[in-house]
Amino acid sequence: MKAKHQKIKSIFLILILFLITTSPILLSALQKNFAIRVACVGDSITYGAKIEDNFLNSYPAQLQLFLGSDYLVGNFGASGYTLQKSGNFPYWNHPAFQESSAFQPNIVLIMLGTNDTKPYNWTGTENFLADYRELIAHYRSLKSQPQIYLMTPATIFPESFKPANGYKMQADVADLVSNAVKELGEEEHLPVIDVHAYTRTHPEYFLLDGVHPDAYGAKAIARLTFEALRENESSFQK
């Protein structure tokens, strides 16, 4: 029986490989119908700004490689956008917000907050969390009833890389945001992927400008996310 199962699995893998190499459009259609859909909600770090060939090297693209063909990962990153509705560019107003909802994801990964740390955007933890709770409620209301993961924003390194100063993001506020996200995760009983704590010890990933990770940094974030998803795999099987 075990040998038969292995044979079926081998045939399936060969079929998937054939589809990838001969008909990407057909594979995409199959994924949309049968794959576990993962929506990566975020800002420029999710989008993959500054990364060469971000279509291939952004963290969502590399997460797709880690997860394999049973998953379809959508990149809904919006460069420069905030979680707070009072921010200069609220994520709520970007087409990616509507697109991430229409995607009807089985898993939602939220990594917003970096642009909220700018002096003219930051209005305090209370306002930030109020809008975050509303965002969580929105995704919970989707027909697909997704498992939601909160991701703390990456560490900012303005003291090491002067280009980061031009973005006017505040590293100390990023610390506040990260702590708030972790507390919100406990409050809402949602898993938290602590990107902030992980990247704090890896400034080498942010040599581009002190804010955006390079392809290696994006891969590290993808791996961290992959490991977190694997730990909770049984809870989001479609």
Side-chain angles (χ1 to χ4, degrees), residues 2-232:
K2 185 176 179 180
K4 184 178 180 181
H5 177 74
Q6 285 297 116
K7 185 176 180 181
I8 293 173
K9 185 177 180 180
S10 297
I11 293 172
F12 177 75
L13 290 174
I14 292 170
L15 177 61
I16 290 295
L17 181 60
F18 174 77
L19 289 171
I20 291 173
T21 56
T22 62
S23 182
I25 294 175
L26 180 56
L27 176 63
S28 178
L30 287 172
Q31 285 179 313
K32 287 179 181 178
N33 287 316
F34 299 107
I36 296 171
R37 296 179 299 281
V38 182
C40 297
V41 171
D43 47 40
S44 58
I45 293 176
T46 296
Y47 176 74
K50 304 288 184 177
I51 297 175
E52 186 176 355
D53 296 326
N54 70 312
F55 179 76
L56 298 173
N57 295 318
S58 65
Y59 109 73
Q62 299 200 62
L63 178 62
Q64 176 74 75
L65 294 177
F66 279 121
L67 289 171
S69 60
D70 287 339
Y71 297 78
L72 181 63
V73 180
N75 186 339
F76 300 101
S79 295
Y81 279 70
T82 66
L83 185 143
Q84 293 175 100
K85 291 183 175 181
S86 61
N88 59 340
F89 297 111
Y91 187 78
W92 308 79
N93 298 340
H94 194 278
F97 173 58
Q98 287 76 28
E99 291 166 2
S100 68
S101 304
F103 189 59
Q104 287 297 324
N106 305 109
I107 302 169
V108 176
L109 303 168
I110 303 175
M111 186 165 59
L112 285 163
T114 298
N115 292 299
D116 295 82
T117 70
K118 298 175 181 179
Y120 46 81
N121 284 331
W122 185 244
T123 58
T125 302
E126 186 175 340
N127 291 335
F128 178 82
L129 288 179
D131 286 346
Y132 213 139
R133 291 187 188 96
E134 189 173 340
L135 188 66
I136 290 170
H138 166 77
Y139 286 113
R140 277 177 167 162
S141 72
L142 295 180
K143 185 178 179 180
S144 57
Q145 298 182 312
Q147 169 67 62
I148 299 169
Y149 288 74
L150 310 185
M151 300 174 71
T152 59
T155 300
I156 299 168
F157 296 94
E159 70 285 353
S160 302
F161 310 107
K162 289 183 179 179
N165 295 328
Y167 296 115
K168 305 204 181 289
M169 294 161 185
Q170 304 174 90
D172 57 336
V173 176
D175 294 339
L176 292 176
V177 169
S178 296
N179 289 332
V181 170
K182 287 186 282 188
E183 291 174 7
L184 181 61
E186 291 184 11
E187 176 189 316
E188 295 287 337
H189 306 290
L190 294 174
V192 176
I193 302 172
D194 199 350
V195 177
H196 193 77
Y198 177 77
T199 54
R200 182 182 294 279
T201 58
H202 292 283
E204 72 275 12
Y205 292 149
F206 296 84
L207 294 175
L208 292 171
D209 59 13
V211 173
H212 299 95
D214 58 17
Y216 295 104
K219 184 175 184 179
I221 293 173
R223 184 184 295 109
L224 183 69
T225 305
F226 169 73
E227 291 171 354
L229 293 178
R230 278 299 185 219
E231 286 179 8
N232 296 276

